[in-house]
Short mmCIF file of all heavy atoms in Angstrom, two decimals:
data_model
loop_
_atom_site.label_atom_id
_atom_site.label_comp_id
_atom_site.label_asym_id
_atom_site.label_seq_id
_atom_site.Cartn_x
_atom_site.Cartn_y
_atom_site.Cartn_z
N ARG S 1 -13.61 -1.10 20.07
CA ARG S 1 -13.34 -2.42 19.81
C ARG S 1 -13.93 -3.02 18.48
O ARG S 1 -14.58 -4.03 18.39
CB ARG S 1 -13.87 -3.34 20.95
CG ARG S 1 -13.05 -3.03 22.24
CD ARG S 1 -13.47 -3.99 23.34
NE ARG S 1 -12.66 -3.63 24.49
CZ ARG S 1 -12.81 -4.26 25.74
NH1 ARG S 1 -13.51 -5.39 25.71
NH2 ARG S 1 -12.11 -3.84 26.76
N VAL S 2 -13.76 -2.23 17.40
CA VAL S 2 -14.31 -2.66 16.08
C VAL S 2 -13.33 -3.80 15.49
O VAL S 2 -13.86 -4.44 14.51
CB VAL S 2 -14.44 -1.55 15.16
CG1 VAL S 2 -15.51 -0.55 15.72
CG2 VAL S 2 -13.13 -0.83 14.96
N TYR S 3 -12.21 -3.96 15.91
CA TYR S 3 -11.35 -5.01 15.44
C TYR S 3 -11.14 -6.07 16.47
O TYR S 3 -11.47 -5.91 17.61
CB TYR S 3 -9.85 -4.37 15.08
CG TYR S 3 -9.81 -3.22 14.19
CD1 TYR S 3 -9.68 -1.94 14.62
CD2 TYR S 3 -10.13 -3.37 12.76
CE1 TYR S 3 -9.76 -0.93 13.88
CE2 TYR S 3 -10.18 -2.35 11.91
CZ TYR S 3 -9.98 -1.03 12.46
OH TYR S 3 -9.98 0.01 11.63
N ASP S 4 -10.60 -7.24 16.03
CA ASP S 4 -10.35 -8.30 16.88
C ASP S 4 -9.11 -8.15 17.84
O ASP S 4 -8.96 -8.95 18.79
CB ASP S 4 -10.16 -9.69 16.14
CG ASP S 4 -11.51 -9.93 15.37
OD1 ASP S 4 -12.54 -9.66 15.81
OD2 ASP S 4 -11.38 -10.67 14.34
N ALA S 5 -8.43 -7.22 17.44
CA ALA S 5 -7.12 -6.85 18.19
C ALA S 5 -6.91 -5.36 18.27
O ALA S 5 -7.60 -4.66 17.59
CB ALA S 5 -5.91 -7.52 17.53
N ALA S 6 -5.94 -4.93 19.05
CA ALA S 6 -5.64 -3.57 19.21
C ALA S 6 -5.10 -2.94 17.99
O ALA S 6 -4.28 -3.69 17.36
CB ALA S 6 -4.79 -3.36 20.45
N ILE S 7 -5.33 -1.70 17.65
CA ILE S 7 -4.65 -1.05 16.62
C ILE S 7 -3.14 -0.80 17.07
O ILE S 7 -2.86 -0.38 18.06
CB ILE S 7 -5.28 0.34 16.42
CG1 ILE S 7 -6.76 0.05 15.86
CG2 ILE S 7 -4.50 1.24 15.41
CD1 ILE S 7 -7.56 1.35 15.65
N VAL S 8 -2.29 -1.12 16.10
CA VAL S 8 -0.94 -0.90 16.38
C VAL S 8 -0.26 0.22 15.46
O VAL S 8 0.92 0.55 15.45
CB VAL S 8 -0.04 -2.25 15.95
CG1 VAL S 8 -0.54 -3.35 16.95
CG2 VAL S 8 -0.15 -2.60 14.50
N THR S 9 -1.17 1.08 14.78
CA THR S 9 -0.66 2.19 14.03
C THR S 9 0.14 3.11 14.86
O THR S 9 -0.41 3.62 15.85
CB THR S 9 -1.89 2.86 13.36
OG1 THR S 9 -2.70 1.80 12.77
CG2 THR S 9 -1.50 3.93 12.42
N THR S 10 1.25 3.51 14.32
CA THR S 10 2.03 4.53 15.00
C THR S 10 1.86 5.92 14.39
O THR S 10 1.26 6.03 13.26
CB THR S 10 3.53 4.22 14.93
OG1 THR S 10 3.88 4.24 13.54
CG2 THR S 10 3.92 2.86 15.64
N ILE S 11 2.12 6.95 15.12
CA ILE S 11 1.98 8.30 14.59
C ILE S 11 3.42 8.91 14.69
O ILE S 11 3.97 9.07 15.71
CB ILE S 11 1.03 9.10 15.43
CG1 ILE S 11 -0.36 8.67 15.41
CG2 ILE S 11 0.95 10.65 15.05
CD1 ILE S 11 -1.42 9.27 16.21
N GLU S 12 3.91 9.24 13.48
CA GLU S 12 5.37 9.65 13.47
C GLU S 12 5.45 11.10 12.77
O GLU S 12 5.47 11.19 11.50
CB GLU S 12 6.13 8.73 12.70
CG GLU S 12 6.25 7.23 13.26
CD GLU S 12 7.01 6.27 12.41
OE1 GLU S 12 7.88 6.67 11.82
OE2 GLU S 12 6.64 5.08 12.55
N PRO S 13 5.37 12.15 13.58
CA PRO S 13 5.27 13.51 12.87
C PRO S 13 6.72 13.90 12.37
O PRO S 13 7.71 13.35 12.75
CB PRO S 13 4.82 14.44 14.02
CG PRO S 13 5.30 13.51 15.29
CD PRO S 13 5.25 12.17 14.98
N GLU S 14 6.72 14.98 11.62
CA GLU S 14 7.91 15.60 11.18
C GLU S 14 8.85 14.77 10.40
O GLU S 14 10.05 14.77 10.61
CB GLU S 14 8.62 16.37 12.33
CG GLU S 14 7.73 17.40 13.06
CD GLU S 14 8.44 18.04 14.28
OE1 GLU S 14 9.66 17.66 14.40
OE2 GLU S 14 7.86 18.83 14.90
N LYS S 15 8.27 13.92 9.51
CA LYS S 15 9.05 12.95 8.67
C LYS S 15 8.91 13.32 7.20
O LYS S 15 7.91 13.63 6.70
CB LYS S 15 8.65 11.54 8.92
CG LYS S 15 8.91 10.96 10.30
CD LYS S 15 10.23 10.92 10.74
CE LYS S 15 10.28 10.20 12.18
NZ LYS S 15 11.67 10.12 12.63
N ALA S 16 10.13 13.45 6.56
CA ALA S 16 10.09 13.79 5.16
C ALA S 16 9.46 12.68 4.31
O ALA S 16 9.72 11.53 4.61
CB ALA S 16 11.46 14.32 4.66
N PHE S 17 8.91 13.07 3.20
CA PHE S 17 8.42 11.99 2.28
C PHE S 17 9.26 12.10 0.92
O PHE S 17 9.63 13.21 0.55
CB PHE S 17 6.90 12.31 1.89
CG PHE S 17 6.41 11.28 0.78
CD1 PHE S 17 5.84 10.14 1.14
CD2 PHE S 17 6.44 11.76 -0.52
CE1 PHE S 17 5.33 9.31 0.09
CE2 PHE S 17 6.02 10.99 -1.51
CZ PHE S 17 5.47 9.75 -1.19
N TYR S 18 9.67 10.89 0.50
CA TYR S 18 10.46 10.75 -0.81
C TYR S 18 9.71 9.95 -1.86
O TYR S 18 9.40 8.74 -1.57
CB TYR S 18 11.82 10.18 -0.40
CG TYR S 18 12.55 10.90 0.67
CD1 TYR S 18 12.47 10.51 2.00
CD2 TYR S 18 13.20 12.04 0.49
CE1 TYR S 18 13.13 11.23 2.99
CE2 TYR S 18 14.02 12.74 1.40
CZ TYR S 18 13.89 12.20 2.84
OH TYR S 18 14.45 12.93 3.84
N PRO S 19 9.44 10.43 -3.04
CA PRO S 19 8.71 9.72 -4.04
C PRO S 19 9.46 8.40 -4.40
O PRO S 19 10.75 8.40 -4.47
CB PRO S 19 8.48 10.73 -5.17
CG PRO S 19 8.69 12.05 -4.53
CD PRO S 19 9.60 11.88 -3.45
N ALA S 20 8.68 7.42 -4.66
CA ALA S 20 9.35 6.12 -5.07
C ALA S 20 9.69 6.21 -6.54
O ALA S 20 9.34 7.11 -7.23
CB ALA S 20 8.39 4.91 -4.81
N GLU S 21 10.37 5.17 -6.99
CA GLU S 21 10.81 5.13 -8.41
C GLU S 21 9.61 5.06 -9.34
O GLU S 21 8.60 4.61 -8.99
CB GLU S 21 11.73 3.75 -8.63
CG GLU S 21 13.10 3.75 -7.75
CD GLU S 21 12.86 3.40 -6.37
OE1 GLU S 21 11.63 3.23 -5.81
OE2 GLU S 21 13.90 3.27 -5.63
N ASP S 22 9.77 5.42 -10.55
CA ASP S 22 8.77 5.65 -11.51
C ASP S 22 7.85 4.34 -11.75
O ASP S 22 6.77 4.32 -11.90
CB ASP S 22 9.29 6.19 -12.84
CG ASP S 22 9.71 7.64 -12.84
OD1 ASP S 22 9.34 8.34 -11.88
OD2 ASP S 22 10.33 7.96 -13.80
N TYR S 23 8.66 3.20 -11.65
CA TYR S 23 7.86 1.95 -11.96
C TYR S 23 7.01 1.50 -10.87
O TYR S 23 6.17 0.65 -11.06
CB TYR S 23 8.95 0.74 -12.27
CG TYR S 23 9.84 0.33 -11.23
CD1 TYR S 23 9.52 -0.58 -10.30
CD2 TYR S 23 11.09 1.04 -11.02
CE1 TYR S 23 10.33 -0.97 -9.16
CE2 TYR S 23 12.00 0.66 -9.98
CZ TYR S 23 11.63 -0.28 -9.11
OH TYR S 23 12.36 -0.68 -8.09
N HIS S 24 7.09 2.13 -9.68
CA HIS S 24 6.16 1.80 -8.63
C HIS S 24 4.85 2.77 -8.74
O HIS S 24 3.90 2.37 -8.10
CB HIS S 24 6.78 2.03 -7.30
CG HIS S 24 7.77 1.11 -6.86
ND1 HIS S 24 7.43 -0.22 -6.73
CD2 HIS S 24 9.07 1.11 -6.54
CE1 HIS S 24 8.41 -1.03 -6.33
NE2 HIS S 24 9.52 -0.17 -6.23
N GLN S 25 5.05 3.92 -9.36
CA GLN S 25 3.74 4.70 -9.56
C GLN S 25 2.63 4.13 -10.38
O GLN S 25 2.97 3.43 -11.51
CB GLN S 25 4.25 6.09 -10.16
CG GLN S 25 5.25 6.71 -9.39
CD GLN S 25 5.00 6.89 -7.93
OE1 GLN S 25 3.96 7.02 -7.50
NE2 GLN S 25 6.10 7.03 -7.10
N ASP S 26 1.48 4.16 -9.98
CA ASP S 26 0.21 3.73 -10.89
C ASP S 26 0.36 2.22 -11.00
O ASP S 26 -0.18 1.63 -11.98
CB ASP S 26 0.13 4.37 -12.01
CG ASP S 26 0.16 5.92 -12.00
OD1 ASP S 26 -0.29 6.42 -10.93
OD2 ASP S 26 0.57 6.64 -12.91
N PHE S 27 1.08 1.43 -10.09
CA PHE S 27 1.27 0.06 -10.33
C PHE S 27 0.01 -0.82 -10.41
O PHE S 27 -0.13 -1.61 -11.28
CB PHE S 27 2.22 -0.57 -9.18
CG PHE S 27 2.92 -1.78 -9.65
CD1 PHE S 27 4.09 -1.92 -10.27
CD2 PHE S 27 2.17 -2.97 -9.38
CE1 PHE S 27 4.67 -3.12 -10.67
CE2 PHE S 27 2.77 -4.30 -9.70
CZ PHE S 27 4.02 -4.23 -10.36
N LEU S 28 -0.81 -0.49 -9.62
CA LEU S 28 -2.17 -1.34 -9.57
C LEU S 28 -2.85 -1.23 -10.92
O LEU S 28 -3.34 -2.13 -11.56
CB LEU S 28 -3.02 -0.83 -8.42
CG LEU S 28 -4.42 -1.66 -8.17
CD1 LEU S 28 -4.70 -1.66 -6.72
CD2 LEU S 28 -5.52 -1.04 -9.08
N THR S 29 -3.02 0.16 -11.35
CA THR S 29 -3.74 0.40 -12.59
C THR S 29 -2.89 -0.08 -13.74
O THR S 29 -3.54 -0.67 -14.77
CB THR S 29 -3.86 1.87 -12.91
OG1 THR S 29 -4.67 2.39 -11.72
CG2 THR S 29 -4.53 2.27 -14.15
N ASN S 30 -1.64 -0.16 -13.75
CA ASN S 30 -0.72 -0.67 -14.90
C ASN S 30 -0.70 -2.11 -14.94
O ASN S 30 -0.29 -2.67 -16.00
CB ASN S 30 0.54 0.02 -14.85
CG ASN S 30 0.51 1.42 -15.16
OD1 ASN S 30 -0.38 1.94 -15.81
ND2 ASN S 30 1.60 2.21 -14.65
N ASN S 31 -0.97 -2.80 -13.73
CA ASN S 31 -0.74 -4.31 -13.79
C ASN S 31 -1.92 -4.93 -12.98
O ASN S 31 -1.67 -5.69 -11.99
CB ASN S 31 0.53 -4.54 -12.87
CG ASN S 31 1.86 -3.82 -13.54
OD1 ASN S 31 2.42 -4.42 -14.45
ND2 ASN S 31 2.18 -2.66 -12.97
N PRO S 32 -3.25 -4.83 -13.58
CA PRO S 32 -4.31 -5.47 -12.93
C PRO S 32 -4.31 -6.89 -12.84
O PRO S 32 -5.08 -7.33 -12.05
CB PRO S 32 -5.38 -4.82 -13.73
CG PRO S 32 -4.87 -4.53 -15.08
CD PRO S 32 -3.50 -4.16 -14.85
N THR S 33 -3.51 -7.57 -13.71
CA THR S 33 -3.52 -9.10 -13.69
C THR S 33 -2.29 -9.62 -12.88
O THR S 33 -2.21 -10.81 -12.84
CB THR S 33 -3.66 -9.58 -15.01
OG1 THR S 33 -2.42 -9.23 -15.77
CG2 THR S 33 -4.88 -9.02 -15.81
N TYR S 34 -1.46 -8.65 -12.34
CA TYR S 34 -0.34 -9.25 -11.62
C TYR S 34 -0.86 -10.03 -10.40
O TYR S 34 -1.68 -9.48 -9.67
CB TYR S 34 0.49 -8.02 -11.23
CG TYR S 34 1.89 -8.29 -10.70
CD1 TYR S 34 2.77 -9.07 -11.52
CD2 TYR S 34 2.29 -7.84 -9.40
CE1 TYR S 34 4.05 -9.26 -10.98
CE2 TYR S 34 3.61 -8.04 -8.94
CZ TYR S 34 4.40 -8.81 -9.78
OH TYR S 34 5.70 -9.01 -9.34
N PRO S 35 -0.41 -11.19 -10.25
CA PRO S 35 -0.94 -12.05 -9.22
C PRO S 35 -1.01 -11.31 -7.83
O PRO S 35 -2.00 -11.47 -7.05
CB PRO S 35 -0.07 -13.26 -9.18
CG PRO S 35 0.38 -13.45 -10.59
CD PRO S 35 0.58 -11.91 -10.99
N TYR S 36 0.09 -10.61 -7.42
CA TYR S 36 0.07 -9.93 -6.14
C TYR S 36 -0.99 -8.94 -5.96
O TYR S 36 -1.76 -8.84 -5.07
CB TYR S 36 1.42 -9.32 -5.87
CG TYR S 36 1.53 -8.60 -4.46
CD1 TYR S 36 2.17 -9.28 -3.38
CD2 TYR S 36 0.91 -7.38 -4.30
CE1 TYR S 36 2.16 -8.71 -2.11
CE2 TYR S 36 1.06 -6.71 -3.12
CZ TYR S 36 1.60 -7.44 -2.04
OH TYR S 36 1.62 -6.83 -0.87
N ILE S 37 -1.29 -8.23 -7.09
CA ILE S 37 -2.34 -7.21 -7.11
C ILE S 37 -3.67 -7.84 -7.14
O ILE S 37 -4.61 -7.45 -6.36
CB ILE S 37 -2.24 -6.43 -8.44
CG1 ILE S 37 -0.86 -5.52 -8.46
CG2 ILE S 37 -3.37 -5.47 -8.64
CD1 ILE S 37 -0.88 -4.48 -7.36
N VAL S 38 -3.89 -8.92 -7.82
CA VAL S 38 -5.11 -9.65 -7.85
C VAL S 38 -5.59 -10.08 -6.52
O VAL S 38 -6.64 -10.00 -6.11
CB VAL S 38 -5.10 -10.82 -8.85
CG1 VAL S 38 -6.31 -11.72 -8.72
CG2 VAL S 38 -4.90 -10.31 -10.35
N HIS S 39 -4.59 -10.77 -5.79
CA HIS S 39 -4.91 -11.29 -4.44
C HIS S 39 -5.05 -10.29 -3.32
O HIS S 39 -5.89 -10.42 -2.52
CB HIS S 39 -3.84 -12.44 -4.15
CG HIS S 39 -4.14 -13.20 -2.94
ND1 HIS S 39 -5.14 -14.03 -2.73
CD2 HIS S 39 -3.56 -13.02 -1.63
CE1 HIS S 39 -5.15 -14.56 -1.53
NE2 HIS S 39 -4.17 -13.94 -0.85
N ASN S 40 -4.02 -9.40 -3.31
CA ASN S 40 -4.03 -8.39 -2.22
C ASN S 40 -4.63 -7.21 -2.36
O ASN S 40 -4.97 -6.54 -1.36
CB ASN S 40 -2.43 -8.22 -1.94
CG ASN S 40 -1.84 -9.56 -1.39
OD1 ASN S 40 -2.02 -9.83 -0.16
ND2 ASN S 40 -1.04 -10.08 -2.32
N ASP S 41 -4.67 -6.55 -3.54
CA ASP S 41 -5.04 -5.14 -3.76
C ASP S 41 -6.34 -4.99 -4.34
O ASP S 41 -7.00 -3.90 -4.14
CB ASP S 41 -3.84 -4.46 -4.51
CG ASP S 41 -2.63 -4.42 -3.63
OD1 ASP S 41 -2.76 -4.38 -2.42
OD2 ASP S 41 -1.56 -4.41 -4.08
N LEU S 42 -6.81 -5.73 -5.44
CA LEU S 42 -8.02 -5.59 -6.09
C LEU S 42 -9.17 -5.73 -5.14
O LEU S 42 -10.24 -4.84 -5.32
CB LEU S 42 -8.18 -6.44 -7.26
CG LEU S 42 -7.31 -6.16 -8.49
CD1 LEU S 42 -7.75 -7.09 -9.66
CD2 LEU S 42 -7.32 -4.73 -8.91
N PRO S 43 -9.09 -6.51 -4.10
CA PRO S 43 -10.14 -6.55 -3.16
C PRO S 43 -10.35 -5.23 -2.42
O PRO S 43 -11.48 -4.83 -2.06
CB PRO S 43 -9.68 -7.65 -2.14
CG PRO S 43 -9.08 -8.55 -3.01
CD PRO S 43 -8.26 -7.77 -3.91
N LYS S 44 -9.27 -4.42 -2.21
CA LYS S 44 -9.40 -3.17 -1.49
C LYS S 44 -10.19 -2.21 -2.40
O LYS S 44 -10.99 -1.40 -1.77
CB LYS S 44 -7.96 -2.58 -1.31
CG LYS S 44 -7.03 -3.38 -0.52
CD LYS S 44 -5.69 -2.72 -0.57
CE LYS S 44 -4.61 -3.64 0.12
NZ LYS S 44 -4.36 -3.54 1.53
N ILE S 45 -10.17 -2.28 -3.73
CA ILE S 45 -10.93 -1.45 -4.56
C ILE S 45 -12.27 -1.75 -4.50
O ILE S 45 -13.22 -0.80 -4.42
CB ILE S 45 -10.30 -1.49 -5.97
CG1 ILE S 45 -8.78 -1.24 -6.11
CG2 ILE S 45 -11.03 -0.47 -6.86
CD1 ILE S 45 -8.36 0.12 -5.58
#
C-alpha cells in the first residue's frame, strides 16, 4: 500500500514494438524548454 490507490498497470505479453517517428526520439533532450516537458517531464529527471 505504498500508493493512495491500487496499481492499474496491465501486463500484456507477446506484443510487438514499433519505433515512433524520428521527431519523437530524444524529444526531452532536444526540447528542454518546451512547456509540456518543463511541467510534466523534467521533474521526473
